[in-house]
Amino acid sequence: MSDVDPVIPHVIHQTWKSQTVPSEFQAFQRSWIDHNPGFAYRFWTDDDIERFVEDEHPALLPVFRGYADPISRVDLARYLILRRFGGVYADLDFECLRPIDGLLERRSFLVGLEPEEHDGLAKAVERGLSRILCPSFLASVPGHPFWDHLLDRLVEARHCPDVLDATGPFLLTRALASYEASHAGGNEGAAAVTVLPPGQLYPVTKDDCWSGRLFDLVFWEQATRDAYAIHYWQGTWFRGDAGRTPRLPDRVTAVVTNDTAALPAASTGAAGRTGDPPLISCLMVTKGGDGGRTDLLSLAIGSFTRQSWPNKELVIVCDAVVRDGDGAEDPLDALVRAAGREDIRLVRVAGPGRTLGELRNIAVDSANGVYVCQWDDDDLYDPLRLEVQHMVLARTGAHACLLGRWLIWWPGLQKLAVSRERYWEGSLLCEKAAMPRYPHLRRGEDTPLVERLRQTMRVVCLDMPRLYTYVVHGANTFATDHFDEHWQTAACRFTGDRYEALLREMAKRLPIDDVRRHGRAMARPGPASDSHPPSDRTGRAPAVPASSTGAFRKAKVLVLTPVKDARSHLPRYMRLLDRLDHDPGCLSLGFLESDSVDGTHPWLAERVPALRDRYRRVTLLRRDYGFHPEGPRWLPAVQRTRREILARSRNRLLQGALDDEDWVLWLDVDLVHYPPDLLGRLLAAGRDIVTPHCVLPSGSSFDLNSFALEPDGERPDHMIDGLFQPPRGVGRRYLDSFPDDSAVPLDGVGGTALLVRADLHREGLCFPPYSHRGYIETEGLAAMAKDMGVTCWGLPGVKIVHADR
């Protein structure tokens, strides 16, 4: 082995049929060159390979030319090239994600394992293979002894009918197994073969690629964190051109709200259309090129022209005064003229001075399409946005489609986030016949419109953040604190290397570099401090003064209370409920009684008729679980069972009582005091999930299920019966730790008084009766909400009092 070079040469080899590389592979090809500037690059065509085998390995020509499948000749060629020259070989459907020199150090031969999921595929199972080596990436010193061993096995297998056995992964896997067996105790140093785990070269499966799952940026980011490269399993040798055709993800998460809404009289319904694709009008309201927005407008127009949907128009409504007298063409006029497209129309509105709501109504009135789509002038849209949103409309028969999450990008701060879950108004695609009028507001005009749609029409919420990238450039309609709040509550946040990696991935479909280059020119004149109605739908972080609660007294709220042996608490519970300053005609009540021995159920049943006279609806359910533990209910030994039963009770009560309410207030029966404006203050907080500070009569915190984790998180040794149960205060901060904060994001919540937006429950948010990430019941709900991209909040300054133990 003394004649074997101990260092893998810095040269990258790739092959294709000819010098004409398909366009979809060219970016992958460049990635190897760009990330590895110190490497030589050598490209081999089929003709080059033929001459190389003739000159260097004439004895193998009968084997080489005897293969029926061309891919077998490529397989043999890559082995012979690396045996002769050494270096790195990578298939053209392989993308390099970062420099590979560190991967090669102190190694003489590298090969990667395919994902474990491939081990379960039929052919691998039939052959009894417990792992699969993939030849799509190989690295070697010249003359490594494994090559001769592999070539001997290859000649023996030359008549195998399946390429996988003759020259491909199965041959490679068997050859390495026999090589390691024959080199027992000596497979080290220059003779060693290093097998890399799937996460470094093959972080995604064939199904991930073929199903379109990689369209999900969060999945892509998680899968590639440890990867040097990613193989896309294009399979051109067995899938043909179909393997190289981009496709929509075949698993799309969408939730339909207001499922019983009838179709509007002027509409035929999205699901019932046949024939040519309907016209979609994209509506863009803008101030034109003022404030350096010309480049931004150009990008918005480009996003429209790149849309895959064939039948579309862009209606641009502008109320800026047209320049005159200086001889220069107005920037917006110039952009429209340069586009040279009949499907782009500019509508000038005499002004300025009109509200954004008025301008959006003008845009809707000017649209010719069956559908209208909001198209803001400073954001980025994936080329599939219209196609995917219309597809979801058609499949659900909905009137309108919005995104439940989108991307938020701060180019100047080098931050990227996947938003929390909500109905993002800017993503609206709606039947024109179903559109309400926008209120005449200068900003926030689309929030009440979307709320109206949700109340009266069938609306589908689509979870595909990649379709829409909201760009925060410093001169947006909303002020900085609005976007700070979005960053804090985002489902996923990316900075540093991962930020750059995601932008490179996004740049395959969006003009990311153009936005970065022109970012400083982005500006939009307009108010930055107009007042808003406090609402989580705006993403604001309003304070919660008691004087702000009056506007919420008409919200439809369902108050739900599980009860057990609560007879002594119920009179006070009813008195406190009667004192609420919320309109009782907008309050519904729901109770589930279980396992009581003190007459709780008869007491409630006797009072249901009177309660129904005062409140909107009243539901009384009963379900016994046979749970009668000995000793205090807070002992760790009974927590798993007690809270499992409580979770099941809450879920059963929710299922049996929720109707058309907007909110659900979970309220403990043994509270001894809360202010009459409690519900209004919780609603005024503008959060999807919010809880007050529950204290004992002494003033100390009672609800220890409402907590924010310390940075180090939970300790595994605090897990009892599958649940995290740390000593009080260890690793957790309760609401009494935040006396100066109006609102605090929480990792766990209790149920003493918990307000939840009802749509979250309708979309699947429940109280897990099992360990969900180490939490159960209300704490499990908080963990589940976090998985859905929703943050739970606590209000330290809003206090309620619980009965002492």
Side-chain angles (χ1 to χ4, degrees), residues 257-376:
T257 63
N258 203 356
D259 204 25
T260 59
L263 296 175
S267 171
T268 61
R273 304 190 194 285
T274 57
D276 295 334
L279 177 65
I280 298 177
S281 297
C282 301
L283 309 181
M284 185 168 75
V285 173
T286 182
K287 294 292 183 182
D290 293 344
R293 296 179 69 84
T294 303
D295 293 322
L296 200 60
L297 288 165
S298 177
L299 294 176
I301 292 172
S303 286
F304 167 79
T305 61
R306 285 190 294 273
Q307 289 295 304
S308 60
W309 187 255
N311 194 14
K312 58 186 180 291
E313 68 170 357
L314 178 63
V315 179
I316 306 173
V317 173
C318 180
D319 67 343
V321 177
V322 180
R323 296 180 186 175
D324 58 8
D326 61 0
E329 185 178 11
D330 180 85
L332 182 54
D333 288 333
L335 285 175
V336 174
R337 180 183 53 79
R341 295 176 61 107
E342 294 182 357
D343 56 3
I344 298 178
R345 292 189 286 121
L346 174 58
V347 178
R348 291 281 187 181
V349 178
R354 296 178 186 266
T355 66
L356 185 53
E358 290 178 281
L359 295 173
R360 292 207 187 278
N361 286 330
I362 292 171
V364 173
D365 294 340
S366 302
N368 295 322
V370 176
Y371 296 91
V372 293
C373 179
Q374 189 162 319
W375 203 263
D376 285 348

Side-chain angles (χ1 to χ4, degrees), residues 533-805:
S535 167
D536 204 29
R537 298 299 179 196
T538 67
R540 303 275 295 185
V544 288
S547 61
S548 69
T549 64
F552 298 97
R553 291 173 183 163
K554 293 293 184 181
K556 290 184 291 185
V557 180
L558 173 62
V559 181
L560 295 181
T561 304
V563 290
K564 175 183 177 181
D565 290 332
R567 169 66 181 82
S568 62
H569 298 291
L570 283 168
R572 183 176 54 222
Y573 173 92
M574 295 300 176
R575 289 195 300 271
L576 289 171
L577 203 62
D578 286 344
R579 290 176 57 232
L580 279 177
D581 62 3
H582 204 87
D583 181 355
C586 297
L587 286 179
S588 302
L589 307 183
F591 303 92
L592 186 142
E593 183 276 325
S594 62
D595 295 318
S596 296
V597 295
D598 68 346
T600 293
H601 188 273
W603 193 95
L604 281 171
E606 182 181 345
R607 285 156 181 80
V608 164
L611 292 173
R612 285 176 175 159
D613 288 339
R614 174 172 173 77
Y615 296 103
R616 186 168 178 261
R617 287 191 311 107
V618 179
T619 303
L620 175 59
L621 304 175
R622 190 174 192 180
R623 173 73 175 184
D624 286 339
Y625 297 94
F627 181 63
H628 301 282
E630 296 181 0
R633 65 180 184 180
W634 56 84
L635 292 177
V638 300
Q639 290 309 296
R640 179 66 182 260
T641 302
R642 184 184 75 84
R643 299 194 68 187
E644 175 186 337
I645 291 173
L646 185 51
R648 291 164 61 189
S649 297
R650 291 188 188 277
N651 293 332
R652 183 174 292 272
L653 177 55
L654 181 69
Q655 183 181 18
L658 181 60
D659 188 17
D660 63 345
E661 289 81 11
D662 304 310
W663 296 90
V664 175
L665 175 64
W666 294 93
L667 199 62
D668 264 10
V669 71
D670 43 2
L671 293 173
V672 298
H673 174 75
Y674 51 79
D677 63 352
L678 171 65
L679 182 51
R681 297 178 77 179
L682 294 177
L683 289 166
R687 311 294 183 174
D688 282 334
I689 303 175
V690 63
T691 188
H693 184 189
C694 185
V695 300
L696 290 169
S698 65
S700 61
S701 286
F702 168 80
D703 192 351
L704 303 187
N705 295 326
S706 294
F707 59 83
L709 289 174
E710 298 286 5
D712 293 338
E714 303 279 23
R715 286 170 45 181
D717 57 313
H718 290 155
M719 184 170 284
I720 302 173
D721 292 335
L723 305 178
F724 288 114
Q725 300 184 55
R728 177 171 182 150
V730 177
R732 298 181 177 185
R733 301 179 69 193
Y734 309 115
L735 287 177
D736 56 4
S737 301
F738 307 93
D740 299 325
D741 294 333
S742 61
V744 178
L746 298 177
D747 296 290
V749 293
T752 55
L754 179 66
L755 185 70
V756 180
R757 190 178 291 276
D759 277 348
L760 292 178
H761 282 315
R762 294 187 181 100
E763 293 163 10
L765 181 65
C766 68
F767 299 88
Y770 46 82
S771 177
H772 180 81
R773 302 187 184 278
Y775 302 104
I776 198 170
E777 202 235 334
T778 55
E779 295 175 30
L781 175 138
M784 185 177 291
K786 185 178 293 186
D787 291 343
M788 296 170 66
V790 177
T791 300
C792 299
W793 293 84
L795 307 182
V798 181
K799 294 185 179 181
I800 62 175
V801 184
H802 194 279
D804 205 338
R805 289 171 176 171

Side-chain angles (χ1 to χ4, degrees), residues 83-200:
R83 179 181 181 276
R84 170 67 174 81
F85 300 105
V88 175
Y89 171 87
D91 279 350
L92 275 182
D93 59 348
F94 234 122
E95 179 183 12
C96 186
L97 300 178
R98 53 182 166 140
I100 61 172
D101 47 358
L103 192 65
L104 307 183
E105 289 181 1
R106 296 185 297 278
R107 288 164 171 168
S108 59
F109 194 110
L110 282 178
V111 62
L113 281 174
E114 292 192 16
E116 292 181 3
E117 292 84 347
H118 291 186
D119 301 344
L121 298 178
K123 288 188 176 182
V125 173
E126 290 170 1
R127 289 157 176 79
L129 297 176
S130 60
R131 67 174 187 172
I132 303 174
L133 302 179
C134 188
S136 295
F137 176 99
L138 297 164
S140 168
V141 298
H144 192 283
F146 175 67
W147 290 125
D148 288 338
H149 182 87
L150 175 67
L151 291 177
D152 288 343
R153 308 287 84 72
L154 185 142
V155 172
E156 294 171 0
R158 65 187 181 278
H159 297 304
C160 290
D162 194 319
V163 171
L164 301 174
D165 295 305
T167 59
F170 296 166
L171 171 83
L172 185 63
T173 302
R174 294 191 186 100
L176 181 59
S178 59
Y179 176 79
E180 291 175 336
S182 64
H183 287 70
N187 185 17
E188 57 186 29
V193 173
T194 300
V195 178
L196 298 176
Q200 292 191 323

